[in-house]
Amino acid sequence: MIPAEQTSDNPNFERFQTICRDAGLKLTPQRLEIYNELAVARDHPSAEDIFHRVRRRMPTIALDTVYRTLTTFESIGAIARVDVADDRARFDAELGPHHHCVCARCRSIKDFQWETFDILGMPKETSAWGRLMDKQVVLRGVCRDCLRKEADSEG
Amino acid sequence: MIPAEQTSDNPNFERFQTICRDAGLKLTPQRLEIYNELAVARDHPSAEDIFHRVRRRMPTIALDTVYRTLTTFESIGAIARVDVADDRARFDAELGPHHHCVCARCRSIKDFQWETFDILGMPKETSAWGRLMDKQVVLRGVCRDCLRKEADSEG
DNA sequence: TTCCGATTTAAGAATCATTCTGAATCAGGC
DNA sequence: GCCTGATTCAGAATGATTCTTAAATCGGAA
Ligand SMILES: [Mn+2]
Ligand SMILES: [Mn+2]
Ligand SMILES: [Zn+2]
Ligand SMILES: [Zn+2]
């Protein structure tokens, strides 16, 4: 088999292996390829995106395997599903706290950091709601590329 | 036809009528019922939720009409789609700035206000991204009801 | 190395939310 | 009342995702 792209230098990769081992998951080539593709991606790809990318080096991969594997990874906390709503699910190997910009036109999702927000803590307005696990900012708008295309087509 | 629940006292209702008129939409009984059901709801219902609620007073309503109408309302800015991702779309008649708590177990969505956050403005980290239209906080966790059920079932 | 249970593949079929199609109905203008 | 375009309805179609089954393959413990 063609060796996978080198991603073991990614700090997330160590954690990934540990999580898999603890969950009793075998480290199959398919799983490694799928994780690697997601780990090097910056665009929060869909299952089908990952399928096409993995297929370049592993032509026999089945779409079902990609769906199944991503779901498995998510259930053991090795990756995250990006819940900003789209018709298709989007995935993220970055588990640390960060936020997302979402383009209403092209559906691109971009990470950003916001320390000023992170240090705010949880809002007191929700102290009675339940147990909060995560707080995240979602910014919506139109990305630069789409603004440019828009301007071009208008003349 | 059975008259709709009285919601014209809702300050949003005035705006709703104006928006529809400006968009050239006829105020059909179906549209009024669908808007009213959403306007009185506090739970960010799905299209199917609204379908079942409207059907109580309008038994012949078609599910497709609910989907089509909600999409129409959203496109003219009369309602909002709550993009916290679920397998199904959730809707909101509240258009003012506010934020959401999402329960990972029961998928309930609850509004909250957070002035401290609102006055922050847009983060400088994203100034180059494009044109930002909206910033929203999404808190994820487990709601009180689900925590209680969990505790009960564990003994 | 051997062996067993886990995993993948292939090809479909099933599911579920949502959208589309075509016919029927309605509202308002003439 | 009649015409026309907007709207609704019921059922079919779509598309992402999951599931089924059976056969082939693989990973890793012993
Ligand atoms: Mn991300
Ligand atoms: Mn809301
Ligand atoms: Zn864009
Ligand atoms: Zn809950």
Side-chain angles (χ1 to χ4, degrees):
Chain A
M1 213 230 337
I2 304 166
E5 200 166 306
Q6 188 64 28
T7 56
S8 45
D9 56 326
N10 187 321
N12 287 330
F13 192 71
E14 289 291 327
R15 171 173 44 188
F16 169 70
Q17 287 188 303
T18 305
I19 293 176
C20 284
R21 200 168 328 116
D22 293 352
L25 286 190
K26 292 179 182 175
L27 287 179
T28 67
Q30 288 88 346
R31 287 179 174 155
L32 288 171
E33 286 292 344
I34 289 169
Y35 181 80
N36 281 342
E37 251 348 306
L38 183 59
V40 301
R42 288 279 82 86
D43 60 344
H44 308 84
S46 68
E48 196 145 0
D49 290 335
I50 295 173
F51 170 64
H52 290 305
R53 293 173 198 180
V54 168
R55 201 156 57 160
R56 293 191 298 233
R57 41 170 59 92
M58 186 180 271
T60 61
I61 187 90
L63 178 58
D64 183 65
T65 300
V66 176
Y67 273 108
R68 185 167 19 81
T69 302
L70 289 169
T71 301
T72 303
F73 286 171
E74 189 204 1
S75 71
I76 63 174
I79 67 171
R81 198 177 284 257
V82 183
D83 279 335
V84 292
D86 195 349
D87 42 348
R88 58 191 66 194
R90 307 281 288 262
F91 297 89
D92 200 338
E94 182 54 58
L95 299 178
H98 68 282
H99 312 286
H100 291 122
C101 289
V102 183
C103 177
R105 296 264 193 295
C106 67
R107 311 265 92 190
S108 69
I109 303 173
K110 189 149 193 319
D111 288 342
F112 72 93
Q113 301 291 325
W114 196 5
E115 276 210 32
T116 312
F117 171 82
D118 295 337
I119 61 180
L120 279 185
M122 294 295 186
K124 63 177 185 311
E125 284 85 347
T126 61
S127 54
W129 179 78
R131 181 196 303 149
L132 294 173
M133 328 272 291
D134 178 62
K135 74 184 213 292
Q136 224 234 307
V137 177
V138 178
L139 301 180
R140 292 173 192 280
V142 181
C143 78
R144 224 174 204 189
D145 289 350
C146 287
L147 286 178
R148 193 174 305 122
K149 281 175 205 155
E150 213 169 77
D152 287 353
S153 67
E154 282 170 11
Chain B
M1 215 231 336
I2 304 166
E5 201 167 305
Q6 188 64 26
T7 58
S8 43
D9 56 327
N10 187 321
N12 288 329
F13 193 72
E14 288 291 329
R15 171 172 45 187
F16 169 70
Q17 287 189 303
T18 305
I19 294 177
C20 283
R21 201 169 327 116
D22 292 353
L25 287 190
K26 292 178 183 172
L27 287 180
T28 67
Q30 288 88 346
R31 285 178 176 157
L32 289 171
E33 286 293 344
I34 290 169
Y35 181 79
N36 282 342
E37 247 355 300
L38 183 60
V40 301
R42 285 280 82 88
D43 61 343
H44 307 84
S46 68
E48 196 145 2
D49 291 335
I50 295 173
F51 170 64
H52 289 305
R53 295 174 197 181
V54 168
R55 202 158 53 161
R56 293 191 298 235
R57 42 170 56 91
M58 187 180 272
T60 61
I61 188 91
L63 178 57
D64 178 66
T65 300
V66 176
Y67 273 107
R68 186 169 16 81
T69 301
L70 289 169
T71 301
T72 303
F73 286 170
E74 189 205 0
S75 71
I76 63 175
I79 68 171
R81 194 178 287 258
V82 183
D83 278 334
V84 291
D86 193 350
D87 41 350
R88 58 191 65 193
R90 308 280 289 262
F91 297 89
D92 200 338
E94 180 55 57
L95 298 178
H98 67 282
H99 312 286
H100 293 119
C101 289
V102 183
C103 177
R105 296 263 193 295
C106 67
R107 312 263 91 190
S108 69
I109 303 173
K110 187 148 195 320
D111 287 343
F112 72 93
Q113 300 290 325
W114 197 5
E115 276 210 33
T116 312
F117 171 81
D118 295 338
I119 60 180
L120 278 184
M122 293 296 186
K124 63 178 184 310
E125 284 86 345
T126 60
S127 54
W129 179 78
R131 182 195 303 149
L132 294 174
M133 328 272 290
D134 178 61
K135 74 183 211 293
Q136 224 233 305
V137 178
V138 178
L139 301 181
R140 292 174 192 279
V142 181
C143 77
R144 227 176 200 187
D145 288 350
C146 288
L147 286 178
R148 193 175 303 122
K149 280 175 206 156
E150 212 167 78
D152 287 353
S153 66
E154 282 170 11

